[in-house]
Amino acid sequence: MFPDRQAERREMVEAQLRRNGIRAERVLRVMENIPREEFVPPESRFLAYRDDPIAIGCGQTISQPYMTALMTELLELTGNEDVLEVGAGSGYHAAVLGALSATVVTMELEPVLAKLARESLARTGRDENILVVEGDGSLGYPKFAPYDAISVAAGAPEVPAALLDQLKDPGRLVIPVGARAGQELRVIWKRHGRIESRTATACRFVPLRGEEGWR
Ligand code: SAH
């Protein structure tokens, strides 16, 4: 159905992911199988397996493959989780999350991107357990809360309280937090009623907008 770019995917997994410390075999296998080129604009398909973010319209980007892999690995999904993603963008990360969990709700503020993400997920046959919701994900999505895992794909000034509220106990959240120009990727656990947090790496994401984001 798709021109076979399996060799490029395998190379991406080896050179960009495994070599840079991604260890979770399930994550590597999934990223070796999802056609990333189907989630970027047609004119950028030739760039799909490069070690870079790619512009997807509306001033937004699909994250570098390594960042998608790292964030996914940090969530330690086993296959049974209900996941919330904030910032669907291209829908690619949602496809990766969907292959590793039970359900994914992914929120996108830009209507144009929400529509494209929905189309890409349907075209690649990945939409069965993924719901793309147009709206402000800085407030989470109470309708299906609480979530076992939450992944935020845009940089927040602070951890939005709504997302902590909508996280199960036990549950895990990955989120870039910090200045507009650069953030730290935080992993936050809720367990036994307590919140713990550590910083995984420095990073640079597009700003989280909305009620609990940058105004
Ligand atoms: N995970 C994406 C990368 C998305 S980039 C991928 O795999 O392609 C971050 C996205 O977050 C952008 O599309 C941006 O429009 C969106 N965004 C920013 N603030 C948001 C908010 N408050 N709610 C929902 N989406 C938001």
Side-chain angles (χ1 to χ4, degrees):
M1 183 160 74
F2 306 113
D4 192 15
R5 299 182 67 179
Q6 189 70 44
E8 285 174 85
R9 276 196 288 282
R10 207 164 287 144
E11 174 63 15
M12 171 190 83
V13 163
E14 292 308 319
Q16 299 175 37
L17 309 186
R18 215 188 279 279
R19 194 169 300 161
N20 288 315
I22 303 296
R23 291 280 170 268
E25 289 299 328
R26 295 179 72 237
V27 175
L28 296 170
R29 200 176 331 122
V30 162
M31 289 184 66
E32 194 172 311
N33 285 311
I34 297 180
R36 193 165 184 269
E37 68 276 16
E38 292 295 324
F39 293 87
V40 302
E43 67 275 16
S44 299
R45 286 196 178 155
F46 74 106
L47 299 171
Y49 296 102
R50 297 228 183 139
D51 187 13
D52 290 309
I54 300 171
I56 54 172
C58 306
Q60 308 302 316
T61 54
I62 175 175
S63 304
Q64 184 189 23
Y66 173 76
M67 193 48 74
T68 302
L70 177 63
M71 293 176 80
T72 308
E73 178 172 70
L74 289 169
L75 289 177
E76 293 183 15
L77 301 171
T78 64
N80 303 317
E81 294 82 3
D82 293 318
V83 180
L84 174 68
E85 183 191 28
V86 177
S90 67
Y92 174 73
H93 196 172
V96 173
L97 294 168
L100 294 164
S101 65
T103 69
V104 176
V105 175
T106 182
M107 301 199 62
E108 176 53 55
L109 206 53
E110 297 284 351
V112 175
L113 295 179
K115 180 166 175 288
L116 285 170
R118 234 173 252 131
E119 287 169 3
S120 300
L121 288 163
R123 195 170 59 246
T124 53
R126 298 270 162 187
D127 57 339
E128 225 156 76
N129 62 343
I130 302 177
L131 177 68
V132 181
V133 176
E134 192 184 306
D136 180 7
S138 76
L139 300 173
Y141 195 60
K143 188 170 173 192
F144 295 123
Y147 303 93
D148 300 285
I150 301 179
S151 178
V152 181
E158 305 280 352
V159 180
L163 298 184
L164 284 176
D165 283 348
Q166 291 173 35
L167 191 61
K168 267 186 211 170
D169 185 347
R172 224 173 239 255
L173 163 66
V174 288
I175 180 168
V177 182
R180 262 173 184 275
Q183 308 90 34
E184 49 187 43
L185 185 66
R186 284 200 206 148
V187 193
I188 298 169
W189 296 263
K190 189 190 271 188
R191 55 188 165 205
H192 308 305
R194 301 219 331 259
I195 302 288
E196 290 168 52
S197 163
R198 76 171 176 91
T199 298
T201 186
C203 56
R204 189 167 173 198
F205 281 78
V206 296
L208 179 75
R209 289 164 286 154
E211 206 62 40
E212 294 202 40
W214 295 96
R215 300 295 192 109

